[in-house]
Amino acid sequence: MNNFIKELFKVESIEHSKLETLEETLEIIEDDYLEKLTESYEIDVSIIRNEKIRRLNSKIKEDFKSNLMNFTSEEHKSFNEFYNGIVDYSDENVYVNLKKFTALGIIFLFTTNGGKLYIFKIPDELCEIYEELIRTS
């Protein structure tokens, strides 16, 4: 990613091989990203790290459906593209939407090479919720 994108996702970038679940991802994120998520979900920032992770793990899953319902049509399109793994990176809204998704902890960005190549991941638990929503719609 170019320097602008690297800087834009500096807090949200996870220097680690891709993980599958929300809980294991929350356990390895840096403190500044954990604090950002904690503030996004209005969780007490003064509690210990393990408690933040436990509450975020629960809250992100609980709020996922309502967060999706509050997305604009463009955000829905973008999230669906990430879900399907077919993303038009030339669309500048992709990065704006990705910033929103990472701030909500519904998509995570992993890198293992200092930011030369990023891999995004929607945690498995959220994929299951999303698939259930698609089936029942």
Side-chain angles (χ1 to χ4, degrees):
M1 288 188 163
N2 66 33
N3 288 337
F4 170 75
I5 300 302
K6 191 174 182 178
E7 190 61 32
L8 180 64
F9 292 102
K10 183 177 182 177
V11 171
E12 297 88 354
S13 295
I14 303 168
E15 183 72 27
H16 194 278
S17 55
K18 182 176 75 167
L19 298 171
E20 302 301 318
T21 68
L22 179 59
E23 183 174 14
E24 63 188 4
T25 302
L26 291 172
E27 288 176 4
I28 64 145
I29 63 175
E30 298 288 331
D31 288 339
D32 52 351
Y33 190 15
L34 185 65
E35 293 303 316
K36 185 175 186 174
L37 289 172
T38 301
E39 290 171 6
S40 292
Y41 285 95
E42 299 177 351
I43 294 172
D44 182 4
V45 294
S46 67
I47 59 177
I48 63 171
R49 181 178 172 87
N50 288 343
E51 183 63 17
K52 287 177 188 175
I53 291 168
R54 188 187 70 73
R55 289 185 189 181
L56 279 169
N57 186 45
S58 176
K59 190 77 168 138
I60 290 170
K61 291 183 280 192
E62 286 173 14
D63 291 0
F64 181 60
K65 183 177 177 181
S66 64
N67 282 331
L68 281 176
M69 296 304 154
N70 289 324
F71 286 173
T72 65
S73 60
E74 180 60 38
E75 290 167 339
H76 276 287
K77 178 182 176 290
S78 184
F79 184 81
N80 192 49
E81 288 174 352
F82 280 108
Y83 172 77
N84 287 308
I86 305 168
V87 181
D88 177 7
Y89 289 102
S90 66
D91 178 1
E92 61 192 38
N93 287 324
V94 164
Y95 300 104
V96 172
N97 293 334
L98 185 57
K99 186 72 171 174
K100 178 177 183 170
F101 303 152
T102 58
L104 290 170
I106 61 176
I107 293 181
F108 292 95
L109 294 174
F110 293 92
T111 186
T112 55
N113 59 2
K116 292 187 172 106
L117 177 65
Y118 283 80
I119 300 167
F120 64 86
K121 173 67 176 147
I122 301 170
D124 290 349
E125 307 94 316
L126 300 182
C127 286
E128 291 171 14
I129 295 168
Y130 189 64
E131 289 164 5
E132 182 63 29
L133 289 172
I134 291 170
R135 280 193 296 275
T136 58
S137 296

